[in-house]
Amino acid sequence: MKKIILILMLLSSVCYASCDVQCVEPYGLSSGVSRFFSSVTGQNFLAERIGSALLKKAIKKNIECGSIKTNLQSFSVRDLKKGKFKSIEIKGKDVNVQGIYITSFDVKTLCNFNYLVDNKKGDVIVKENMPMSLNVTISEDDLNKTMTSSDYKRLIDDVNSLAGGIFEVNSTQVKLKNNKMYYVIKYNIPFVRKSKEIVLCANLKVDNGKIMLADTSFAGSNTTLDINKFSKLLNYINPLDFSAKILENKDAKINIQNVKIADKKITIDGIVTVLKDKE
């Protein structure tokens, strides 16, 4: 289901761009009389509940764990059968998507007319662009669990391969405190028995709709090291960027508007637009 309404675009670092919300006027709806009777007879209410349950079931198939809540609002039973509806809201808690851990997310359509069509092959065709508000909360624990995934470990292996034996990263850990991200890297160097440790700290900022690390510095006394080199390394193995690349989807645009660190959690707000399929 278009990566299930895009595995809710959770950090889907697809095409970062300026995302103006543009809604089309409703068209091709059933008559006002039909919508009225669908509402007063309770048929529309029942259809909304069934549609919400089916959407929830589809999403659950695409996540490894976590709780999901869905809310679908339709115009009428007849319109819903055609794939036309007022809104969808999807909430998740303690979710694991492809090894990416997320404390919570909430996505909700921003237009009062949305249009999806089942092509009878298990795919959903998006007939009109579908902008959605996005709110994601990622905890310190989420980031550290994400970094235990096999994909992230392969990323560290790539770093060690590029280092050519000069050093070898053997563990990484993230801490969130004082409104900053602290990245603890333990590494070995040839002919030295004891592992060494560096701690880098950085702010998070939004730049052109994308989350970036800013003002990177050493936490501690490692002043003789080149911060620029370690800053590049940190951006390469940044677990937030890693999560975004894993969830990347060419079928959506995302524009991050705000990012904040507080209480050992990162809160991200933005707008995601599920793109209309080409006919």
Side-chain angles (χ1 to χ4, degrees):
M1 188 179 172
K2 204 142 182 178
K3 254 195 181 173
I4 216 41
I5 316 271
L6 307 323
I7 297 298
L8 306 319
M9 294 71 68
L10 306 176
L11 288 185
S12 55
S13 116
V14 282
C15 232
Y16 288 95
S18 111
C19 274
D20 295 327
V21 176
Q22 296 180 344
C23 301
V24 300
E25 291 296 321
Y27 62 88
L29 297 176
S30 58
S31 68
V33 173
S34 176
R35 278 180 275 158
F36 173 77
F37 278 106
S38 181
S39 178
V40 298
T41 59
Q43 293 179 17
N44 193 41
F45 175 81
L46 180 60
E48 289 175 342
R49 301 289 79 74
I50 293 173
S52 291
L54 291 173
L55 178 61
K56 179 178 179 179
K57 183 178 180 180
I59 294 169
K60 294 281 281 187
K61 288 181 179 179
N62 287 273
I63 64 174
E64 295 179 34
C65 66
S67 63
I68 298 293
K69 292 183 178 180
T70 57
N71 182 25
L72 171 68
Q73 299 292 319
S74 65
F75 296 102
S76 70
V77 174
R78 184 177 298 176
D79 293 315
L80 188 57
K81 286 181 178 179
K82 293 179 180 178
K84 299 174 182 179
F85 57 93
K86 291 180 181 177
S87 66
I88 290 176
E89 183 173 17
I90 307 167
K91 296 182 178 181
K93 186 176 181 181
D94 299 325
V95 174
N96 175 0
V97 185
Q98 301 176 40
I100 309 303
Y101 291 83
I102 297 167
T103 293
S104 65
F105 69 84
D106 186 348
V107 291
K108 185 176 182 179
T109 51
L110 294 173
C111 296
N112 62 4
F113 176 79
N114 301 276
Y115 192 4
L116 306 174
V117 176
D118 188 346
N119 69 354
K120 309 301 181 183
K121 297 180 181 179
D123 296 320
V124 167
I125 306 302
V126 179
K127 303 292 284 186
E128 300 292 347
N129 287 348
M130 190 165 66
M132 308 177 80
S133 62
L134 168 70
N135 175 268
V136 178
T137 299
I138 301 174
S139 69
E140 176 183 296
D141 187 49
D142 292 333
L143 291 172
N144 286 310
K145 285 193 290 187
T146 294
M147 290 192 298
T148 65
S149 71
S150 58
D151 285 330
Y152 190 82
K153 288 178 179 178
R154 279 195 289 271
L155 180 67
I156 297 299
D157 289 341
D158 289 343
V159 170
N160 290 335
S161 177
L162 291 170
I166 298 174
F167 67 88
E168 182 180 65
V169 176
N170 56 37
S171 73
T172 56
Q173 183 183 14
V174 167
K175 294 183 179 180
L176 303 175
K177 62 181 181 180
N178 302 324
N179 300 325
K180 292 179 180 290
M181 175 185 285
Y182 289 79
Y183 205 89
V184 183
I185 303 174
K186 291 187 178 181
Y187 63 99
N188 295 322
I189 57 176
F191 312 113
V192 178
R193 289 186 179 181
K194 189 176 181 180
S195 293
K196 292 187 173 291
E197 177 181 289
I198 57 169
V199 181
L200 296 156
C201 69
N203 295 317
L204 296 180
K205 70 174 185 177
V206 176
D207 184 11
N208 194 30
K210 185 176 180 179
I211 299 173
M212 303 290 291
L213 300 174
D215 304 321
T216 305
S217 62
F218 290 113
S221 58
N222 298 293
T223 54
T224 60
L225 299 176
D226 187 344
I227 187 61
N228 292 323
K229 291 182 179 179
F230 278 95
S231 181
K232 291 178 182 178
L233 172 64
L234 181 57
N235 273 289
Y236 185 74
I237 61 178
N238 172 16
L240 280 176
D241 190 52
F242 166 78
S243 300
K245 288 175 181 176
I246 291 294
L247 296 171
E248 183 173 342
N249 194 298
K250 65 182 176 57
D251 297 321
K253 287 183 180 180
I254 186 169
N255 183 37
I256 300 300
Q257 297 173 323
N258 296 294
V259 60
K260 181 177 70 173
I261 300 176
D263 301 323
K264 294 188 175 183
K265 293 179 181 179
I266 299 172
T267 303
I268 302 165
D269 295 294
I271 295 175
V272 176
T273 301
V274 185
L275 298 177
K276 175 180 178 179
D277 283 304
K278 295 180 180 179
E279 300 288 341

